[in-house]
């Protein structure tokens, strides 16, 4: 299985560079990182006192990779999951936010695992994921696995 770093780099490569499409509700985006995320994280890269389109444009590929690892993998506690599931849940977390964990929890409930569908990846969801993976094995593994 690829490392978290490699997965994040693949996500960034797939997301591409700077885009500011007025029809996109995500707003200005660079390497998959939206202006809304940058504002939430306080990433004023040009140090002019606000986070705006210029900051999004200034975001480097390496910074985007770090944001995804720190805020979408580590902070989301995806490392608690079986290693074979981490890549797909990480990728979903980048694209769907906390809904990724809810999707996982709904899947686990389908495996008759007692989990709350609350979008929080804690010890109960992690334990349920490990039990489901032990039962289903490669059935739960995606293309990263």
């Amino acid at each position: 299985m690829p490392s978290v770093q490699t997965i994040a780099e693949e996500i960034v490569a797939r997301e591409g560079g700077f885009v500011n499409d007025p029809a996109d509700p995500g707003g200005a985006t660079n390497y998959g990182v939206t202006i809304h995320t940058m504002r939430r994280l306080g990433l004023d890269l040009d140090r002019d006192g606000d986070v705006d389109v210029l900051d999004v444009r200034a975001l480097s590929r390496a910074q985007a990779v770090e944001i995804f690892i720190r805020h979408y993998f580590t902070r989301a506690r995806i490392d608690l999951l079986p290693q074979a599931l981490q890549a797909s849940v990480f990728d979903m977390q980048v694209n769907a936010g906390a809904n990724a964990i809810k999707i996982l929890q709904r899947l686990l409930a389908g495996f008759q695992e007692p989990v709350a569908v609350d979008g929080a990846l804690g010890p109960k969801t992690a334990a349920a994921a490990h039990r489901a993976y032990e039962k289903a094995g490669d059935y739960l593994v995606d293309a990263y696995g």
Side-chain angles (χ1 to χ4, degrees), residues 40-56:
R40 180 174 49 84
L41 299 175
L43 295 176
D44 180 13
L45 298 179
D46 61 8
R47 298 189 173 132
D48 67 352
D50 65 354
V51 178
D52 58 17
V53 174
L54 295 175
D55 296 295
V56 177

Side-chain angles (χ1 to χ4, degrees), residues 46-95:
D46 61 8
R47 298 189 173 132
D48 67 352
D50 65 354
V51 178
D52 58 17
V53 174
L54 295 175
D55 296 295
V56 177
R57 188 179 294 277
L59 184 75
S60 72
R61 179 181 291 258
Q63 288 168 315
V65 167
E66 179 58 29
I67 288 167
F68 288 146
I69 292 170
R70 179 179 294 157
H71 299 282
Y72 293 84
F73 184 87
T74 304
R75 185 169 285 160
R77 303 175 73 191
I78 292 172
D79 61 316
L80 296 176
L81 297 174
Q83 188 172 9
L85 301 180
Q86 291 178 12
S88 60
V89 176
F90 179 27
D91 191 77
M92 266 196 318
Q93 183 76 12
V94 168
N95 289 292

Side-chain angles (χ1 to χ4, degrees), residues 95-142:
N95 289 292
N99 284 324
I101 304 305
K102 288 180 180 180
I103 291 166
L104 171 66
Q105 290 167 328
R106 286 187 198 102
L107 175 69
L108 294 172
F111 276 91
Q112 307 304 309
E113 290 294 338
V115 295
V117 180
D118 59 7
L121 204 169
K124 291 180 183 176
T125 296
H130 282 276
R131 287 190 302 271
Y133 181 70
E134 284 186 27
K135 288 188 256 183
D138 289 340
Y139 177 76
L140 291 177
V141 178
D142 69 353

